[in-house]
Amino acid sequence: MRDLIRKLLIEIGEDPDRDGLKGTPNRFEQAWRFLTSGYKDDADKLLNNALFEVKYDEMVLVSDIDFYSLCEHHLLPFFGKCHVAYLPDKKVLGLSKIARLVEMYSRRLQVQERLTTQIAQTIFEKISPLGVGVIIEAQHMCMLMRGVEKQNSRASTSSMLGCFRRPETRMEFLDLVLNGKRSR
Ligand SMILES: [Zn+2]
């Protein structure tokens, strides 16, 4: 990776040997190993020992999970908030595992749509809930920095599975997410 970055620096007209850039290939490699560390994990490993049998049949909501990912088209960051909810059927996930799941999938090269469905699908498969809903609101540096879109424009994506496809469940989810925003 360091050689590649050295070449990249030369390619854009820089001097990779000047003081400020000497350590850059090394720093870049470390940063990128971290930002793409989600490839080392998989959902089974992550959720191991965190599935619980409970008698709870109301909606579970974890909102405003911060995430940082890299768009696979430009290798530039996109970041924002992720809201995850599900309606359990006998099994629940450890709450912290939901945030870890978001982290695992966001530390890979992504498109926002796939990130959204991967989180929803994984929860749907692992604990067979009655339904899952995931909403992601994000800002993409490839849009903001290149001036393709207006500043502060946000992209929203959602994935609704099972009973979350029903209007009343979907509305309850959206209402909980929006109300959380109003009270902040
Ligand atoms: Zn992009």
Side-chain angles (χ1 to χ4, degrees):
M1 217 188 279
R2 289 178 217 177
D3 284 350
L4 286 171
I5 297 309
R6 210 187 132 78
K7 281 193 193 127
L8 177 71
L9 290 172
I10 294 168
E11 199 61 42
I12 62 169
E14 266 292 357
D15 169 14
D17 294 316
R18 72 177 170 84
D19 266 356
L21 291 179
K22 264 188 206 152
T24 297
N26 186 32
R27 283 189 292 264
F28 181 94
E29 176 166 11
Q30 283 177 22
W32 265 67
R33 295 266 178 235
F34 176 75
L35 297 175
T36 58
S37 56
Y39 289 111
K40 287 190 304 197
D41 287 326
D42 65 60
D44 287 324
K45 246 198 294 179
L46 193 80
L47 303 180
N48 197 19
N49 302 323
L51 309 178
F52 306 103
E53 305 261 333
V54 289
K55 269 202 151 64
Y56 181 81
D57 57 5
E58 298 293 329
M59 191 179 290
V60 176
L61 169 72
V62 182
S63 56
D64 293 311
I65 302 167
D66 289 305
F67 78 90
Y68 297 87
S69 191
L70 290 164
C71 114
E72 68 184 17
H73 299 136
H74 302 94
L75 304 185
L76 286 171
F78 71 97
F79 58 95
K81 303 269 186 202
C82 179
H83 315 287
V84 179
Y86 65 94
L87 204 56
D89 180 24
K90 299 185 195 82
K91 277 189 222 159
V92 294
L93 271 175
L95 286 176
S96 66
K97 294 294 179 179
I98 294 176
R100 287 282 292 121
L101 201 61
V102 173
E103 196 176 77
M104 179 186 84
Y105 284 125
S106 53
R107 287 191 186 148
R108 298 178 183 185
L109 300 187
Q110 283 287 8
V111 294
Q112 185 177 333
E113 294 86 344
R114 189 175 63 226
L115 177 61
T116 312
T117 53
Q118 280 178 335
I119 295 163
Q121 283 288 351
T122 301
I123 295 172
F124 203 62
E125 282 161 22
K126 295 301 169 193
I127 56 169
S128 310
L130 299 174
V132 184
V134 175
I135 297 173
I136 291 182
E137 303 167 289
Q139 291 187 290
H140 292 247
M141 294 316 283
C142 56
M143 286 162 69
L144 302 178
M145 288 179 80
R146 299 187 312 153
V148 177
E149 295 286 330
K150 289 195 176 61
Q151 292 296 314
N152 299 316
S153 72
R154 231 175 271 274
S156 297
T157 47
S158 66
S159 176
M160 305 284 171
L161 302 175
C163 66
F164 275 68
R165 291 184 193 268
R166 286 208 311 258
E168 61 270 27
T169 312
R170 181 193 299 247
M171 281 312 291
E172 188 187 345
F173 175 36
L174 292 175
D175 206 46
L176 284 169
V177 169
L178 293 174
N179 275 325
K181 282 189 178 165
R182 258 179 245 129
S183 63
R184 268 208 298 272

